[in-house]
Amino acid sequence: MSAITTAASPTATPSPSSSPAVDAPPAPRVAPAKGRILATAMRRFYDDGIRPVGVDLLISESQVTKATFYKHFGSKERLVLDYISARRDATIESLTSLLAAHEDAAVGLRLVGDAVVAQIQAPGYRGCPFVNAAAEFADPAHPVRGVVTSFHEAIHELFEGALVRLGHPMPGEAADRLVLAYVGAMTWAYVGDVVAASSAVRGTIERVTNEAR
């Protein structure tokens, strides 16, 4: 899994251990045409934003017909929801694997920090895809916002679980800080100082894990 891959083969299976990454597009086993459309959406929605990318461009770059596009997705809205849901699922899977990679939960949390740093320092990084998507959909009741919320709830649960295993005295509160560090680093690295963001996320993880010693 590359640090910030923006397209994926529709038949490949990502390996969280191949290189540190916490947000790589998924590689679902789907019909080739549907896979090409989703892979194109992964790249275009992330690079250019969701709303500016039209169906005609997606169809052209995916090398499918309009009928094929609507057969598989029905609408751009359905594709957008599949896009952000796929990113959520791939990221949660990667984080889960990183946190389970070592018996010591502190090592797993450090691996997450390394993965975040690898991602935000990679060429082509354009910010957190979940923050970016939320910024484009102002209505908190929109399904895309629901996926973004579920993503952040899921990473909080993962962090809290790791901290419980570590014996942290206040795992919920500490998980709040880790989520803040995670989202902050992903955002700050794009709009500000990537070096400072990298140092900050690693420093927060160290402080939180040391509290459990």
Side-chain angles (χ1 to χ4, degrees), residues 26-27 74 100 187:
T187 304

Side-chain angles (χ1 to χ4, degrees), residues 78-100:
R78 177 70 250 179
L79 176 58
V80 170
L81 191 59
D82 283 1
Y83 155 76
I84 199 64
S85 298
R87 277 200 174 273
R88 174 198 59 196
D89 295 345
T91 305
I92 294 303
E93 180 181 355
S94 182
L95 286 170
T96 300
S97 296
L98 290 167
L99 290 169

Side-chain angles (χ1 to χ4, degrees):
M1 188 186 297
S2 64
I4 186 69
T5 306
T6 53
S9 165
T11 57
T13 301
S15 171
S17 61
S18 61
S19 65
V22 292
D23 177 50
R29 294 185 180 279
V30 297
K34 185 175 183 179
R36 289 199 306 275
I37 296 167
L38 184 56
T40 301
M42 288 288 178
R43 174 170 52 84
R44 280 296 190 171
F45 288 164
Y46 182 74
D47 289 350
D48 303 327
I50 295 170
R51 293 194 183 279
V53 176
V55 168
D56 289 344
L57 177 62
L58 293 168
I59 288 171
S60 174
E61 294 200 359
S62 303
Q63 298 182 324
V64 299
T65 65
K66 184 170 290 189
T68 297
F69 177 91
Y70 286 105
K71 170 188 172 183
H72 288 299
F73 292 101
S75 66
K76 179 184 173 183
E77 288 71 22
R78 177 70 250 179
L79 176 58
V80 170
L81 191 59
D82 283 1
Y83 155 76
I84 199 64
S85 298
R87 277 200 174 273
R88 174 198 59 196
D89 295 345
T91 305
I92 294 303
E93 180 181 355
S94 182
L95 286 170
T96 300
S97 296
L98 290 167
L99 290 169
H102 196 279
E103 185 177 350
D104 185 347
V107 175
L109 287 167
R110 292 189 191 103
L111 288 175
V112 170
D114 290 343
V116 171
V117 171
Q119 184 172 339
I120 64 180
Q121 293 187 357
Y125 181 67
R126 214 188 73 75
C128 175
F130 303 102
V131 173
N132 293 350
E136 292 196 61
F137 293 88
D139 181 1
H142 193 282
V144 168
R145 291 288 295 274
V147 174
V148 172
T149 297
S150 71
F151 167 72
H152 290 96
E153 290 173 344
I155 64 172
H156 187 281
E157 182 177 346
L158 287 173
F159 292 155
E160 185 173 3
L163 292 166
V164 167
R165 295 195 302 275
L166 199 56
H168 195 285
M170 298 181 66
E173 184 274 339
D176 291 345
R177 285 183 279 149
L178 290 181
V179 172
L180 181 60
Y182 175 95
V183 177
M186 297 281 284
T187 304
W188 189 16
Y190 180 59
V191 300
D193 188 334
V194 66
V195 174
S198 300
S199 177
V201 69
R202 281 180 165 147
T204 300
I205 290 171
E206 284 301 312
R207 287 189 293 275
V208 167
T209 54
N210 286 340
E211 290 167 1
R213 302 304 186 184

